[in-house]
Amino acid sequence: MSTPPPHGQNPFAQQGQQPYGQPQGQPQGQAPYPPQPGYPQPGAAPYGAVPPEQPRRKVSFKLIKNVVIVLAVIGVGIGAYISSQDDANTAAVGDCMHRGSSSDDNPDLEVVKCDSSQAQYIVLAKVEGTYTALSADSKCEEKAKDFQYSYTETGDGSNFLLCLKDYTK
């Protein structure tokens, strides 16, 4: 008759073998594979403490409105500056001019390139100062004998007279 095996051992196991379910060569109580980076160690808590989420800032309608207003003002300022770069007050002797309006009170003269199809007049003289229609013509006769038109501008801090004639290519 045989003696019963000690408690907790496999009666059918051969001598020297580990109990069923335990890999060979591993001491009991240890993981069968080495730990992988990024995974919790056996017996450790599955996850670390998660920091609380930072509250999101809400972008207010008022802030957006103010930014849009500031950008619009800047855009208008830049547009006005660029459009004034070819006004009559920037004209010099020898520049060609284009009449943007048919109004005699406000002809809206602007500087254009002389090789442009828009070139209508050429500047013969530019004189600083304030002139009436009568004094402008006499001043242009004095400065440029072959002038045909006089243009005066006053008000924007620069008062001047342009003596013009038709431009022919």
Side-chain angles (χ1 to χ4, degrees):
M1 170 161 191
S2 68
T3 58
H7 182 67
Q9 288 190 0
N10 186 350
F12 302 104
Q14 296 179 2
Q15 286 293 35
Q17 286 189 343
Q18 294 290 330
Y20 180 73
Q22 294 291 321
Q24 300 233 353
Q26 287 287 335
Q28 287 188 343
Q30 289 188 353
Y33 303 104
Q36 298 294 319
Y39 292 99
Q41 299 296 322
Y47 300 103
V50 177
E53 254 187 62
Q54 295 293 330
R56 289 186 176 187
R57 282 194 210 166
K58 292 183 181 179
V59 178
S60 71
F61 177 74
K62 188 176 182 180
L63 175 67
I64 292 171
K65 182 181 80 170
N66 289 341
V67 168
V68 168
I69 289 171
V70 167
L71 290 176
V73 168
I74 290 171
V76 168
I78 290 172
Y81 175 76
I82 290 172
S83 68
S84 72
Q85 293 302 300
D86 60 357
D87 285 348
N89 61 349
T90 63
V93 174
D95 282 347
C96 290
M97 306 292 292
H98 170 72
R99 184 177 183 153
S101 168
S102 60
S103 167
D104 285 338
D105 293 334
N106 184 13
D108 191 27
L109 289 178
E110 59 184 32
V111 177
V112 295
K113 293 186 179 194
C114 289
D115 60 359
S116 165
S117 63
Q118 292 182 324
Q120 295 172 302
Y121 311 106
I122 189 163
V123 178
L124 301 176
K126 182 174 183 177
V127 184
E128 300 296 324
T130 304
Y131 298 92
T132 64
L134 186 58
S135 64
D137 285 347
S138 63
K139 190 66 169 182
C140 280
E141 283 179 7
E142 183 183 306
K143 294 287 187 177
K145 301 276 185 234
D146 57 345
F147 90 98
Q148 294 172 314
Y149 314 101
S150 62
Y151 171 81
T152 59
E153 188 168 305
T154 58
D156 290 338
S158 60
N159 301 331
F160 61 92
L161 162 69
L162 294 179
C163 303
L164 308 167
K165 81 172 191 175
D166 287 327
Y167 177 73
T168 54
K169 293 181 186 182

